Amino acid sequence: MINIVIFGPPGAGKGTQSAKLLDKYQLVHISTGDLFRMHMKEETELGKKAKSFMDAGNLVPDSVTIEMLKDKVQAHPEARGFIFDGFPRTTQQAEALDALLSTLSTSISVCLSLQVPDEELIKRLLERGKTSGRADDANEEVIQNRLNVYMRETSPLQDFYQNQNKLSAVNGVGTVDEIFDRLCESIDKLSAQTV
Ligand code: ADP
């Protein structure tokens, strides 16, 4: 199995690149942000729980997020591998993911960390906010909070994966195709080593 964490701040291009990667490598894509948005739209209990956190640009509590992620992974016993997009975002989530994958006798292959400067992120998110209908993209204060939460809680996970020798930093500025090529290069290098 190839299991990829696609990592980076809000607006780094995780969703865009995941869509291209899952096509090429035939992986199952799990985006916790998309899952929460789906629950919100359908007004499920989980969606109602997540909404206030998401609208303010804060993280949904780990217990809720980890449970949802586990259910989604376990729903795909046929998977050739997964792309985790927007998960993990905290150390507790990263540890839970390792534990979950080990029950499936597999592990994370690589954490691809998209590197994009803050000014570019804010520009992209405000632009996306014009059409995405996402409350958390429309307001600059909420965007700033998401970036702060990323710096404080999520960015340290790069050390977590570096300590496992699984971190691959990728320049996230350029055209979608240029960035995609860089990501594929990192993945192909890895499969050459592990097959
Ligand atoms: P972005 O990366 O642009 O912020 P996402 O769709 O990944 O977009 O996430 C949107 C929001 O969903 C986050 O700000 C957070 O409130 C919630 N969320 C998504 N994934 C997680 C997670 N792993 N842990 C906690 N909250 C999450």
Side-chain angles (χ1 to χ4, degrees):
M1 275 174 113
I2 300 185
N3 299 302
I4 297 171
V5 171
I6 184 130
F7 191 88
K14 301 183 295 289
T16 306
Q17 295 298 335
S18 296
K20 290 174 73 78
L21 289 170
L22 71 104
D23 212 33
K24 171 159 176 172
Y25 294 97
Q26 316 249 294
L27 303 170
V28 173
H29 179 213
I30 301 185
S31 159
T32 43
D34 287 352
L35 288 172
F36 283 132
R37 278 185 288 276
M38 200 186 72
H39 279 282
M40 273 165 50
K41 205 168 137 212
E42 291 173 4
E43 297 181 347
T44 66
E45 279 311 304
L46 183 63
K48 286 180 203 158
K49 251 188 233 168
K51 184 171 172 25
S52 59
F53 297 101
M54 288 182 74
D55 285 352
N58 291 320
L59 295 184
V60 179
D62 279 340
S63 54
V64 177
T65 308
I66 290 169
E67 244 354 90
M68 180 179 75
L69 187 279
K70 271 191 194 161
D71 287 349
K72 193 73 190 170
V73 167
Q74 284 163 352
H76 287 281
E78 82 298 346
R80 302 164 46 134
F82 293 93
I83 299 185
F84 298 100
D85 165 4
F87 187 99
R89 267 172 146 100
T90 64
T91 306
Q92 204 189 333
Q93 291 180 15
E95 286 169 351
L97 181 59
D98 279 358
L100 174 65
L101 293 177
S102 81
T103 66
L104 303 174
S105 307
T106 185
S107 59
I108 292 298
S109 316
V110 67
C111 171
L112 300 169
S113 173
L114 289 165
Q115 311 285 313
V116 181
D118 274 9
E119 314 79 70
E120 171 77 14
L121 296 171
I122 293 171
K123 206 173 75 191
R124 288 184 190 177
L125 290 167
L126 286 171
E127 194 54 40
R128 185 169 80 185
K130 291 182 192 163
T131 53
S132 67
R134 279 178 55 171
D136 61 345
D137 283 345
N139 173 322
E140 197 157 347
E141 244 170 71
V142 174
I143 290 178
Q144 194 55 56
N145 187 43
R146 283 156 68 201
L147 292 174
N148 294 344
V149 168
Y150 172 80
M151 281 310 294
R152 194 173 62 232
E153 304 200 37
T154 306
S155 175
L157 285 183
Q158 292 179 92
D159 292 338
F160 179 93
Y161 287 110
Q162 180 63 56
N163 289 338
Q164 297 186 6
N165 276 320
K166 289 179 177 170
L167 188 71
S168 177
V170 176
N171 178 1
V173 181
T175 66
V176 169
D177 286 338
E178 279 164 0
I179 299 164
F180 180 62
D181 287 345
R182 290 176 202 144
L183 292 171
C184 292
E185 211 176 295
S186 286
I187 295 170
D188 294 341
K189 219 187 289 168
L190 174 97
S191 2
Q193 284 163 12
T194 52
V195 166

